[in-house]
Amino acid sequence: MNTRTSLRTDADVLTAPGPAPALSWREDALCAQAGPEFFFPAPGSSTREAKQLCGACEGRVACLEYALRHDERFGVWGGLSEKERVRLKRQSR
């Protein structure tokens, strides 16, 4: 009888191949093709272009869910600005 067990070390976890399943939407997201300044514009700047790109992205819903779950407070996520996400959270209560 073999009583040998397999233990995972911290190194195994840290070097696990591929993205976490919850973040797999990021691989094909259209935002990966644009710079962060596009989705994190200066205060008072337009978010219209970022929202248009989000609207065409297949990962939009997963992105928005991620932002809401992790309380992302800055930038455009899933096609919504900071204020729009706050409003959405209030409405869902």
Side-chain angles (χ1 to χ4, degrees):
M1 178 183 278
N2 187 351
T3 58
R4 185 182 206 186
T5 60
S6 175
L7 298 176
R8 292 188 81 178
T9 65
D10 288 341
D12 293 333
V13 174
L14 293 175
T15 60
L23 298 178
S24 62
W25 56 269
R26 289 178 154 186
E27 289 180 0
D28 298 320
L30 295 177
C31 60
Q33 301 170 20
E37 62 280 347
F38 197 73
F39 295 91
F40 297 92
S45 297
S46 175
T47 58
R48 182 179 48 220
E49 292 85 10
K51 290 179 180 183
Q52 286 175 338
L53 191 61
C54 288
C57 184
E58 291 182 18
R60 185 182 69 76
V61 173
C63 176
L64 179 57
E65 288 173 352
Y66 173 88
L68 293 171
R69 191 174 338 126
H70 292 90
D71 199 28
E72 290 290 345
R73 297 179 188 234
F74 302 100
V76 174
W77 290 81
L80 298 181
S81 69
E82 301 96 335
K83 289 179 184 179
E84 292 166 331
R85 290 192 305 277
V86 167
R87 199 173 314 133
L88 180 64
K89 275 186 156 182
R90 285 185 187 149
Q91 290 174 350
S92 65
R93 288 183 187 173

